[in-house]
Amino acid sequence: MTSSPAFPRVHIATDHAGMELSAHLVSHLTAKGYDVVDHGPKEYDALDDYPSFCINAALAVVADQQAGIHALGIVLGGSGNGEQIAANKVKGVRAALAWNHSTATLAREHNDANVVAVGGRQHTVEEATELIEAFLTEPFSNDERHVRRIGKIAAYETTGEVIE
């Protein structure tokens, strides 16, 4: 299946603490019509190192977006903090930690976030699924002030210049 504006391609990655949630989301989102790409891990390892999984998912989101493919990402962990940090190291990624409905929707509406981080140990599977769905379905507002602010972040990321 290819992505469409209604159903973006979704790149997902986790650590050991988010594996149950990740498996649920892959199944749930695929059934809803999303093209889901699982960046791992493939098996449980309590000592796994999540950065590679999350960075690979983030790289795939950026590559798809640069190719004109509507794509978003999901990174999961116990808290979601480390996974968000790892994803945000990828140039072009704006990863946001969502912990309630408002933070999930505002990440897209105001920040045009392209990756969402959720803590698998912080929510029930049902709560986390609702956060993910809110993120995936919320459009960016394209409001001038938000476009301007995102542009300043991108300029710093590219040039190192802080624009007032």
Side-chain angles (χ1 to χ4, degrees):
M1 173 180 289
T2 59
S3 64
S4 71
F7 295 104
R9 179 175 293 156
V10 176
H11 294 277
I12 189 168
T14 189
D15 74 350
H16 61 278
M19 285 195 72
E20 179 183 333
L21 177 57
S22 181
H24 165 76
L25 288 169
V26 168
S27 174
H28 177 78
L29 294 173
T30 300
K32 284 189 155 270
Y34 290 91
D35 176 13
V36 182
V37 180
D38 188 350
H39 293 270
K42 301 299 181 207
E43 57 188 47
Y44 181 85
D45 177 358
L47 300 177
D48 67 6
D49 291 330
Y50 62 83
S52 60
F53 305 125
C54 296
I55 291 169
N56 283 331
L59 286 167
V61 168
V62 171
D64 274 355
Q65 289 180 334
Q66 289 175 342
I69 297 168
H70 182 40
L72 295 170
I74 303 166
V75 293
L76 308 167
S79 69
N81 284 312
E83 295 75 20
Q84 176 201 25
I85 292 167
N88 272 320
K89 297 301 179 184
V90 174
K91 183 177 177 184
V93 167
R94 288 177 306 284
L97 180 65
W99 64 89
N100 61 26
H101 188 271
S102 180
T103 58
T105 57
L106 287 172
R108 292 281 306 131
E109 183 184 354
H110 288 187
N111 306 112
D112 199 17
N114 51 7
V115 175
V116 65
V118 174
R121 292 181 177 155
Q122 312 305 312
H123 309 279
T124 66
V125 170
E126 294 77 20
E127 290 169 344
T129 301
E130 288 176 14
L131 295 178
I132 298 296
E133 287 183 345
F135 176 84
L136 293 176
T137 59
E138 186 69 30
F140 176 51
S141 70
N142 279 304
D143 183 274
E144 185 276 330
R145 66 189 169 128
H146 300 308
V147 171
R148 182 181 68 244
R149 293 168 185 163
I150 292 166
K152 288 181 176 187
I153 294 168
Y156 176 77
E157 182 179 53
T158 304
T159 68
E161 178 184 358
V162 178
I163 300 172
E164 297 295 323

